[in-house]
C-alpha cells in the first residue's frame, strides 16, 4: 500500500499546492483544483474525487492549514484511519 500512499501524496501535493495558503476551509482549495470538486485522484485500486475526500475526511481535517504539506499529511492520515489506503 505504500506505493499507493506515495502516489496519492504526490497527486494531492500537485493539486492542492496551487491554492492560496493559508487556507481557512475546504472551499479555499476548490480554485486550485484542475476540475474543481470533480478532480479525481487515482492510485492502485483507490479512486476518489475531491468532493468524496471532502465528504469522507471533513472530520479529519483541522483548518486552517499554512502549507500544502500539512494539509496533505492530514488527508493521508485520514485515509489511513478510515482504512481507505
Amino acid at each position: 500500500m505504500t506505493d499507493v500512499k506515495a502516489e496519492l501524496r504526490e497527486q494531492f501535493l500537485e493539486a492542492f499546492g496551487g491554492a492560496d495558503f493559508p487556507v481557512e476551509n475546504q472551499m479555499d482549495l476548490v480554485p486550485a483544483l484542475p476540475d474543481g470538486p470533480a478532480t479525481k485522484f487515482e492510485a492502485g485500486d483507490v479512486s476518489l474525487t475531491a468532493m468524496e475526500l471532502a465528504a469522507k475526511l471533513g472530520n479529519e481535517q483541522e483548518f486552517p492549514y499554512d502549507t500544502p504539506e500539512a494539509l496533505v499529511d492530514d488527508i493521508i492520515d485520514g485515509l489511513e484511519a478510515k482504512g481507505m489506503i
Side-chain angles (χ1 to χ4, degrees), residues 36-56:
T39 300
K40 188 170 273 198
F41 303 100
E42 297 179 302
D45 60 352
V46 177
S47 178
L48 297 158
T49 65
M51 186 175 290
E52 288 172 318
L53 277 178
K56 293 179 180 184

Side-chain angles (χ1 to χ4, degrees), residues 2-84:
T2 52
D3 288 342
V4 169
K5 187 165 104 172
E7 201 171 319
L8 286 173
R9 179 180 298 278
E10 185 177 315
Q11 290 177 39
F12 294 150
L13 283 171
E14 185 176 323
F16 297 124
D20 188 16
F21 284 85
V23 292
E24 300 295 323
N25 56 53
Q26 292 174 339
M27 293 308 293
D28 287 348
L29 298 169
V30 174
L33 298 172
D35 294 323
T39 300
K40 188 170 273 198
F41 303 100
E42 297 179 302
D45 60 352
V46 177
S47 178
L48 297 158
T49 65
M51 186 175 290
E52 288 172 318
L53 277 178
K56 293 179 180 184
L57 298 181
N59 296 342
E60 304 290 330
Q61 296 175 316
E62 296 183 23
F63 286 92
Y65 288 99
D66 292 326
T67 67
E69 292 80 10
L71 169 68
V72 170
D73 286 347
D74 274 2
I75 291 172
I76 294 294
D77 290 347
L79 290 172
E80 287 180 317
K82 295 199 180 275
M84 297 172 70

